[in-house]
Amino acid sequence: LKWIKTQILNCPPQVLISDGVELPLFGKNITVQRTSDCKTKYCLSDKRLTVPKTSSDFKNQIKMVLINLAKEFFSEQCYKYSKELGVTFSEISMRDPKSRWGSCSSEKKLMFSWRLIMAPKEVSCYVAAHEVAHLVHMNHSKNFWEVVSSIYPDQKSQRSWLRQNGKKLHKFIF
């Protein structure tokens, strides 16, 4: 009972995505807005992510932009790390799992939580390196961690960030 209360108290307050709300992108807070000035699917600057005024649901527009940004980012990172290791993957997909940040299947399919696009870039790079390393070792053996370290040496601090802050990425309600 005490553990349950502690877990509930440690849950960050939920944030409903709406026009003008702040959310992190690569770990830096930006404001999401809808504007008639944006003529493409989205407009991104250091402080703002805007989407055009359409009949689409605003929350869904923002979510789709984040998913697309995540897919682009993870494709680029996974290509880089797989080239470094001399391995290939068959597919990359974005999902919204509650308990995993990424996975690698025996069919060489890589899956990532699109919510990682909100984490600092280094954290997402680590997760990409971690999943690509599974293309070499489909386990968490000493050899696996050596492969991870060979392509992403600073993995311990990124793992620590995820353990301490990962739940906060799920507080945003789309």
Side-chain angles (χ1 to χ4, degrees):
L1 190 62
K2 185 179 179 183
W3 180 85
I4 293 171
K5 284 181 182 176
T6 304
Q7 295 306 307
I8 291 170
L9 289 173
N10 287 335
C11 284
Q14 293 184 329
V15 176
L16 186 63
I17 297 304
S18 60
D19 199 341
V21 108
E22 274 194 357
L23 63 81
L25 182 64
F26 292 118
K28 294 178 172 61
N29 278 349
I30 60 162
T31 303
V32 294
Q33 290 181 307
R34 202 176 226 185
T35 174
S36 51
D37 296 344
C38 184
K39 304 294 183 202
T40 56
K41 285 185 182 178
Y42 67 92
C43 302
L44 182 60
S45 71
D46 288 346
K47 296 183 190 283
R48 195 171 317 288
L49 169 62
T50 56
V51 292
K53 285 187 177 181
T54 67
S55 59
S56 299
D57 178 56
F58 177 74
K59 294 184 307 252
N60 198 46
Q61 275 183 293
I62 296 297
K63 180 179 176 182
M64 294 315 296
V65 169
L66 294 178
I67 290 170
N68 289 332
L69 288 171
K71 180 131 188 186
E72 190 177 295
F73 175 82
F74 281 105
S75 296
E76 188 179 298
Q77 294 304 309
C78 291
Y79 178 75
K80 178 179 84 173
Y81 293 130
S82 64
K83 193 174 173 187
E84 223 174 296
L85 293 176
V87 295
T88 58
F89 54 90
S90 62
E91 184 183 318
I92 290 182
S93 64
M94 297 296 121
R95 298 203 184 120
D96 194 12
K98 296 290 178 234
S99 60
R100 289 181 175 216
W101 297 112
S103 66
C104 174
S105 74
S106 55
E107 294 89 33
K108 299 183 177 189
K109 293 179 180 177
L110 303 175
M111 182 283 299
F112 297 95
S113 168
W114 62 263
R115 289 178 183 271
L116 282 168
I117 202 71
M118 295 186 276
K121 197 174 272 193
E122 301 78 25
V123 172
S124 297
C125 287
Y126 154 68
V127 176
H130 180 111
E131 297 312 329
V132 168
H134 279 308
L135 296 167
V136 179
H137 296 286
M138 287 293 284
N139 54 43
H140 287 109
S141 65
K142 183 178 183 245
N143 291 339
F144 165 80
W145 289 109
E146 286 171 0
V147 170
V148 175
S149 291
S150 76
I151 56 175
Y152 201 87
D154 188 26
Q155 46 114 346
K156 286 184 180 173
S157 63
Q158 309 317 324
R159 288 174 67 200
S160 176
W161 188 96
L162 272 175
R163 272 195 297 279
Q164 292 171 5
N165 302 288
K167 283 182 184 175
K168 294 175 186 168
L169 303 181
H170 287 282
K171 76 179 184 177
F172 298 98
I173 309 301
F174 290 85

